[in-house]
Each structure stands twice: as C-alpha cells, then as structure tokens.
Amino acid sequence: MRGFLASSIGVTCAAALALPLTPPALAATARPVPTTEVATAARPAPHAGTPDTTKTDRRAAEPSAAGSTQSLPLEPLTRNRATPSASASASASVEQGLSRRAVRRFSLVGVIWDDPHAELHGRVHVRTRAAGTGTWSGWQDVETHNADHAADLDTPESTSGRVRGATAPLWVGDSDGVELRVRSELQGTGGRSIAVAAPSLPSGLRLELVDPGEGDEALPGGPVDSPRTGGLNTETSAATDASAANADLAPLGATEITALSRAATEREFYALRAGEPVERQRAKPYVGPRPRIVTRRGWGANEGLRERNFVYTKKVKAAFVHHTASGNKYRCSQSPSLIRSIYRYHVKSMGWRDVGYNFLIDKCGKIYEGRAGGVARPVLGAHTLGFNSNSMGIAVLGSYGAKKPSSAAVKAIARVTAWKLGLYRMNPRGKTYLKSAGSNLYRKGKKVRLNVISGHRDGFKTACPGRKLYGKLGSARTKAARYQGR
C-alpha cells in the first residue's frame, strides 16, 4: 500500500532523469511563446466563387503544434442595424452571436460566460467551414446544459476564481470559418405560448475555438500558450510527474500502459496492496485483467496547461459513466486530437485545474488516461457535481441521446471498471453509499445509495450520459463482474 499511495513528488525525484527532457508532445514549447490566449479579429469569409483563402489567410491558418484557443466576444444580433440603442440593448439580452467570418484553424467549439453559477436558458447554433474544402456545414446544436460536469461546491477547484460557465464542447473537425447564434428561450413550456419575457442571456458570452495542435512535434509559426507558471523546464517537469504517477504500471515516458492477464493483474494487485493487513491480503481478489490504457503522453497532453499538483480522494467506491456530448462526427484516429481539445477547453476556457474525467473511451473501445495523478490511484476528478469524492468518472467520446454506443465502447467501460473498481474491492453489480457534496437531486451531506457503476443522471438531474448509453449500463455491470471472475 505504501508503494500504491507514494507521493508523486517522491517518485518523480527518484526517476526524473530517466524521462527524456523534451518529450515529443512538448517539443513545441522549446521557443518563446505568448502568455495569453489570442482573440482573432478575422475578416468576413469570402463570397461564393472567390478563392477560399489568400496567402496571408493560409499563414494565419497554420495550426500550432502545441494548440491554441481563439476567444471571441459575442455581439448583439439585430435585424435592423438602425435600431435605437434601448431596443438594441434589449435585443442583446436575448440574442447574440457572430456573423459568418474567417478565423484561424480550429476543430472544437464551445461558448463560455462569466458566472459559473448562471445558466444559459436557450439554444446555441453554430455552423463551420471545412478547412480542406471550403464547404459550410449546416447549423448544429451545442449542448447548453453542462454545469453538472464540475468540481464539487466549495472545493479549491470550484472557488479558484478562474471557473466560468460553459456549454458542452462540440467537435467540428478541421475548420477555418464560423457563424454563431445564441438565443434565449423559456424552458419547459411544453410548446404552449406564454406571455412571459425570455430570460436574459448570461453576461460575458464568448465563443471558444480550440485548435488541438499536433501533439507530437513542433511546427514553425502559430500562437501557443505558455505553462501556468515557469517555462519549458516547468512543463518538462510536469510531464515527468504525470508519467511517474504511473511508474508502478509502466516505464517512465510510456505512451501506453499494456494489458495484463488475470494472473499478472492479481500479482500486481498484491504488490500495490502490500501495506494492507494480512487478513485483507488473504482475501481472494476480484479484479479484472488490466486493460490497455493510452497515457497522457500517448494522447499528447500539454502538461504545462494544468495545475502542477495532484489531488486525491480516499478510495474509489463507484464509477460514474458520462458522454462528452461533443457529437459523433469523429474518426477513431482523431480521438487523441479530440481529447486534447476537451482538455484545453476544460482548463483554458472553463478554468478547471485539469481535464475533468478520470478516463475517456472512444467509439472503437480504446481507453485513455484522463486527469493526471496515476490511473490506479484515487484521483479526484470534476465530472459529477456533488459526487466527485470516492468515485471516478468515465466519459465516452460522443453524444448518445439518440445514437447507440458501440459494443466496443460498452466493453471498454466494463473492462476499465472491472480493473479499477477491483483494485478497491468493489463489485460492479453491487450498491454503495456516497455522501453528497450538494447537487440538484441530493442535499449536501445526504448519504445516497447508488449502483457501483452509475450513470451521471443517478447523481444529478441531467440527460447525461444520454438515454442510449444509460440503457447499456446494465450490460456493462454484468460484463465487468464477469471480468472480475464473479
């Protein structure tokens, strides 16, 4: 147990020299970089029949290897530009957006606002221009209800002063043009006409356009971020820390943690639990074979973005399953880029300390390490408002309200839960109690009986993880218990 709970600092000090000083995912930071996100003032998109980009446009559109975020303030959308100022102000409170325009290249969009406790009651529609073809997409909905994915109330992460309200992110692929509409609407009227004014939109609305970067090698040109503090040495040290947190499972600098057989996993279990009382060690371990997991280095995390230290909870008693609500228009080969985009959106746009989920799974069933701190350890996430303590969050990339998740994704949920919950002697088909830190379903301090594998909606009134994915959790529980040998 001592090895299992060892301080990441101590592990890092013992092994810092073993990790390459400039891992590929961080090579882009070897040159001076701006210290702030860049808001691009772009010209309108070309009219039909004209070239898609000029030479200057192409230079501005070059992606940054380390990634970047364009943050554009929204503008009032009025039908008549001659509208008196009072009417314009009233209009701005219910409808804002951005006219069609060219921008630097990006792949993911989201809308943020100043107050993390304010809700956006309405609809967000976006359309984008494909960078390769110049073709404009149709209008797409952006999921507006996202506050349920967050750090628990009154925790250092939620009270940092950096956190902002936000929609879910939407993956749109490689794009270089955008148009946006945000309109306030009454909620829950059931289609009935009610003579009540629509609620005002939150203040400080901005469109975030996220370029995930390359994640492997530096490209010349393009704006990038600096780490929160320090420079290249700090970022390299942060990468060492993140890798060292998995030192019991994989070599330093590994891009993946390999799968193990059941027998090898049981030997690993006893090694990790060496500090437990003898009678506990004699109990038969029900732990599923360790699955293959792509590490943060494997998906190209820029470790300079997140907060440096790791935060742990006591144990892992439950797993909450989510969907990212980011759309299903991604290829599995794009999953690392999508994860880098979500990571950047969570940290740079929403103000979180790191990506919120402990694991992410793509539709091909590949499992990815989420929040830094070690995949076998009880890392405190920001995934299920009210129930982040003593739990872990698993997000399937995509939207699963109307679309069924792939069988590969459901199997991956079962595999990672069979292993991780098994390390803490939890039965995937069982029930457990968690104390609420406060949600819209359960008051703070209430002990709540939950499935060991629960959906996000079991702890918070939300549509997540989508009706179709939620319907597959029974199958995931059964599979996970079978992987554990129950």
Side-chain angles (χ1 to χ4, degrees):
M1 192 66 176
R2 287 192 298 272
F4 181 64
L5 296 177
S7 162
S8 62
I9 296 175
V11 176
T12 302
C13 291
L17 295 178
L19 188 66
L21 288 179
T22 309
L26 303 178
T29 60
R31 56 185 172 81
V33 297
T35 58
T36 59
E37 297 289 297
V38 179
T40 301
R43 62 173 178 78
H47 296 293
T50 62
D52 288 328
T53 56
T54 66
K55 185 174 180 180
T56 301
D57 293 330
R58 286 194 297 272
R59 261 200 315 274
E62 287 177 355
S64 159
S68 63
T69 301
Q70 302 170 70
S71 188
L72 309 178
L74 302 197
E75 304 162 352
L77 293 181
T78 58
R79 299 178 184 276
N80 183 358
R81 293 187 180 276
T83 302
S85 58
S87 300
S89 176
S91 176
S93 71
V94 296
E95 187 170 16
Q96 296 183 38
L98 292 173
S99 59
R100 185 185 297 196
R101 64 190 61 199
V103 292
R104 290 198 317 276
R105 288 167 77 159
F106 64 96
S107 296
L108 180 139
V109 304
V111 173
I112 63 170
W113 52 92
D114 295 337
D115 183 358
H117 303 297
E119 294 188 46
L120 196 166
H121 295 292
R123 303 189 69 179
V124 176
H125 291 146
V126 67
R127 58 192 307 229
T128 56
R129 185 177 65 184
T133 65
T135 302
W136 283 89
S137 71
W139 288 102
Q140 299 185 73
D141 283 311
V142 179
E143 173 58 57
T144 59
H145 300 293
N146 194 48
D148 45 325
H149 299 78
D152 290 338
L153 300 175
D154 301 322
T155 59
E157 183 168 7
S158 68
T159 58
S160 67
R162 296 189 300 269
V163 179
R164 291 175 283 274
T167 67
L170 178 68
W171 176 260
V172 295
D174 191 14
S175 304
D176 62 5
V178 70
E179 185 176 2
L180 181 77
R181 296 174 184 168
V182 180
R183 182 167 182 81
S184 174
E185 292 181 356
L186 288 172
Q187 303 293 302
T189 60
R192 293 177 289 115
S193 177
I194 301 178
V196 178
S200 295
L201 294 170
S203 63
L205 288 168
R206 303 182 72 88
L207 174 64
E208 304 288 285
L209 304 175
V210 180
D211 166 26
E214 296 301 308
D216 53 4
E217 61 182 347
L219 294 176
V224 297
D225 317 282
S226 64
R228 289 195 177 198
T229 58
L232 178 60
N233 290 340
T234 298
E235 189 170 343
T236 303
S237 181
T240 303
D241 290 349
S243 185
N246 292 313
D248 291 333
L249 312 179
L252 286 165
T255 57
E256 69 174 53
I257 295 168
T258 58
L260 293 181
S261 66
R262 180 183 299 278
T265 301
E266 288 188 2
R267 289 194 296 270
E268 177 186 77
F269 173 87
Y270 286 121
L272 293 174
R273 295 290 182 179
E276 282 191 341
V278 175
E279 60 272 16
R280 290 275 290 173
Q281 293 188 47
R282 288 175 179 168
K284 175 179 172 56
Y286 289 97
V287 55
R290 188 180 77 192
R292 175 178 178 262
I293 302 170
V294 178
T295 65
R296 290 171 64 90
R297 180 177 169 85
W299 55 260
N302 177 349
E303 300 294 355
L305 295 182
R306 64 172 174 84
E307 285 189 9
R308 178 69 180 274
N309 61 312
F310 307 139
V311 180
Y312 298 98
T313 184
K314 292 180 179 179
K315 59 184 72 174
V316 178
K317 297 173 64 179
F320 286 98
V321 177
H322 305 255
H323 68 169
T324 57
S326 51
N328 301 307
K329 297 178 181 179
Y330 72 94
R331 300 185 302 275
C332 291
S333 60
Q334 295 176 314
S335 297
S337 294
L338 174 52
I339 294 170
R340 289 197 303 275
S341 297
I342 293 172
Y343 168 48
R344 172 174 286 278
Y345 185 68
H346 282 183
V347 176
K348 301 298 289 188
S349 299
M350 297 178 66
W352 294 359
R353 64 187 314 275
D354 194 351
V355 66
Y357 310 111
N358 298 103
F359 295 95
L360 300 101
I361 294 171
D362 69 18
K363 56 189 173 185
C364 289
K366 187 173 286 189
I367 302 167
Y368 298 84
E369 178 183 13
R371 182 163 287 205
V375 295
R377 299 181 181 187
V379 178
L380 181 66
H383 47 82
T384 307
L385 180 62
F387 292 97
N388 290 304
S389 291
N390 296 330
S391 72
M392 66 176 178
I394 302 167
V396 181
L397 299 174
S399 302
Y400 297 100
K403 183 178 178 60
K404 290 182 179 180
S406 67
S407 58
V410 176
K411 182 179 179 180
I413 293 171
R415 293 203 66 194
V416 73
T417 53
W419 172 68
K420 182 68 178 275
L421 291 171
L423 293 179
Y424 293 86
R425 301 185 184 275
M426 298 303 298
N427 182 347
R429 287 187 303 200
K431 303 279 188 178
T432 191
Y433 283 91
L434 293 178
K435 182 183 289 188
S436 172
S439 76
N440 63 1
L441 277 181
Y442 301 105
R443 60 174 173 78
K444 184 176 181 179
K446 181 177 177 61
K447 290 186 177 180
V448 182
R449 189 169 184 257
L450 295 162
N451 287 310
V452 169
I453 297 179
S454 285
H456 187 180
R457 63 175 63 181
D458 294 320
F460 197 100
K461 187 177 180 181
T462 174
C464 184
R467 181 172 59 88
K468 296 291 188 179
L469 178 53
Y470 188 77
K472 292 293 184 180
L473 295 189
S475 174
R477 294 182 191 108
T478 300
K479 285 184 172 70
R482 187 166 65 245
Y483 289 140
Q484 285 189 348
R486 297 182 186 271

